[in-house]
């Protein structure tokens, strides 16, 4: 790992939720590359230990805690654990833990709705509530909330995912302006497709065609987790509210803002039309 001069406070400490794999692992490695000590957290302790081992092998400093972000008490205990590990309150929190539910709206169960809201939305809310007060008190800190381009674009057959990620965007927009006068920077990360394990753990009546489209888009993406993480931390450090790392996401978001109804009418053409749109933008 080529180390970069730290752009954050000396001996800065970061907490990464969902750090056991995918983007969480990439964020942990990227922060360590910038000289930041990392507390890797996940519901799967073995996965978190693997990430922490990778950080240490590359010359970084890493700690591990198990945390289920659905639990308010566990996330608040995580803030205490970070203080113990770092010797002070965390400077950076990456609210990254997330899951997916997809399929036709009428076929998605209430249990799956509750599961994704508890992880994707309440997990982020808990993280902001647990870590932001200390940041505001010392008038310095960084919060990265991981949403998705789904929260900006809202494609069909992804209602639970779209709803939770849109809510994370709205929360981040609110906190950006609310926390900025108090020295706390808030960014929301909205990537499109890259290789991750989220589909493997997804719930809902996802048919083979939709799963195939998603997996194809993940594989062919020219921007993968390490680049997404690098752009996310660059944006966080620079104080950018929106970090949209892929060109297809930026173009699609621009098209939607220009004519929202026409954009969604195009998506109404079905999965084949969505695939064609992704193909043109990718």
């Amino acid at each position: 790992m080529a180390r970069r001069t730290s752009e954050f406070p000396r001996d800065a400490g970061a907490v990464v939720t969902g750090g056991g794999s995918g983007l969480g692992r990439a964020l942990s490695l990227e922060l360590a590359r910038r000289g930041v000590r990392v507390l890797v957290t996940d519901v799967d302790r073995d996965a978190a230990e693997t990430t922490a081992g990778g950080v240490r092998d590359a010359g970084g400093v890493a700690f591990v805690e198990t945390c289920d972000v659905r639990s308010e008490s566990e996330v608040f205990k995580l803030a205490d654990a970070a203080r113990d590990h770092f010797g002070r309150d965390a400077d950076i929190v990456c609210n990254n833990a997330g899951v997916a539910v997809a399929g036709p709206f009428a076929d998605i169960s209430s249990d799956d709705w509750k599961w994704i809201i508890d992880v994707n939305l309440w997990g982020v809310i808990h993280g902001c509530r647990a870590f932001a007060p200390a940041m505001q008190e010392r008038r310095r800190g960084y919060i990265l909330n991981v949403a998705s381009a789904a929260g900006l674009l809202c494609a069909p057959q992804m209602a639970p995912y779209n709803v939770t990620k849109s809510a994370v965007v709205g929360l981040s927009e609110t906190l950006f302006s609310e926390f900025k006068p108090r020295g706390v920077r808030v960014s929301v990360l909205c990537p499109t497709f890259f290789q991750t394990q989220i589909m493997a753990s997804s719930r809902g009546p996802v048919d083979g065609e939709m799963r195939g489209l998603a997996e194809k888009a993940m594989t062919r993406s020219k921007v993968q987790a390490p680049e997404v993480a690098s752009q996310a931390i660059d944006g966080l450090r620079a104080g950018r509210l929106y970090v949209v790392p892929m060109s297809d996401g930026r173009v699609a978001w621009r098209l939607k803002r220009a004519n929202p109804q026409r954009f969604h009418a195009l998506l109404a053409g079905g999965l084949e039309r969505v695939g064609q749109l992704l193909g043109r933008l990718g």
Side-chain angles (χ1 to χ4, degrees):
M1 178 187 294
R3 296 292 296 274
R4 293 177 55 170
T5 302
S6 180
E7 300 153 326
F8 294 101
R10 181 179 176 83
D11 294 328
V15 175
V16 180
T17 67
S21 63
L23 181 58
R25 181 168 293 171
L27 285 167
S28 298
L29 291 166
E30 180 63 25
L31 286 160
R33 190 168 71 91
R34 299 177 189 232
V36 177
R37 297 175 294 164
V38 183
L39 173 54
V40 183
T41 78
D42 202 285
V43 291
D44 183 341
R45 187 175 184 91
D46 288 342
E49 290 284 5
T50 299
T51 297
V55 169
R56 296 179 190 122
D57 289 345
V61 177
F63 310 96
V64 171
E65 292 287 341
T66 304
C67 180
D68 184 341
V69 299
R70 295 176 296 177
S71 167
E72 180 183 51
S73 62
E74 286 195 27
V75 179
F76 273 76
K77 288 177 182 176
L78 182 62
D80 293 335
R83 190 177 302 114
D84 292 339
H85 286 301
F86 299 143
R88 68 185 196 207
D89 291 301
D91 301 280
I92 305 159
V93 60
C94 299
N95 291 308
N96 166 74
V99 294
V101 172
F105 175 79
D107 298 334
I108 296 170
S109 70
S110 295
D111 286 344
D112 285 347
W113 271 101
K114 184 177 187 305
W115 178 65
I116 194 171
I117 290 171
D118 283 348
V119 177
N120 287 9
L121 179 54
W122 274 111
V124 176
I125 294 171
H126 294 329
C128 292
R129 293 190 64 244
F131 290 94
M135 293 180 180
Q136 293 179 83
E137 184 175 346
R138 67 175 182 267
R139 305 189 69 82
R140 186 184 71 244
Y142 302 84
I143 298 173
L144 176 69
N145 292 331
V146 177
S148 166
L152 304 173
L153 305 175
C154 298
Q157 297 201 29
M158 295 175 60
Y161 193 70
N162 294 342
V163 167
T164 57
K165 295 303 187 179
S166 296
V168 170
V169 172
L171 174 66
S172 303
E173 290 172 338
T174 303
L175 298 185
F176 176 88
S177 53
E178 185 172 328
F179 290 176
K180 185 178 176 63
R182 303 176 189 180
V184 179
R185 299 181 182 183
V186 178
S187 295
V188 60
L189 177 63
C190 299
T192 54
F193 294 99
F194 60 98
Q195 288 183 309
T196 177
Q197 296 179 8
I198 194 167
M199 289 302 293
S201 61
S202 66
R203 296 185 184 180
V206 184
D207 63 28
E209 182 185 5
M210 184 175 184
R211 187 177 297 275
L213 280 172
E215 291 175 350
K216 183 178 179 180
M218 288 178 180
T219 301
R220 75 180 181 193
S221 176
K222 296 178 182 178
V223 180
Q224 292 295 335
E227 292 79 21
V228 174
S230 179
Q231 290 194 46
I233 302 306
D234 283 345
L236 183 64
R237 182 67 183 86
R240 295 203 306 270
L241 170 56
Y242 305 103
V243 182
V244 186
M246 283 84 157
S247 60
D248 57 351
R250 294 192 294 271
V251 172
W253 190 29
R254 192 176 305 122
L255 290 173
K256 177 183 175 180
R257 284 178 290 165
N259 193 327
Q261 182 164 326
R262 184 177 179 187
F263 178 83
H264 285 288
L266 177 64
L267 296 185
L271 292 179
E272 182 179 355
R273 183 67 63 84
V274 173
Q276 291 171 353
L277 176 62
L278 291 173
R280 289 200 299 270
L281 297 177

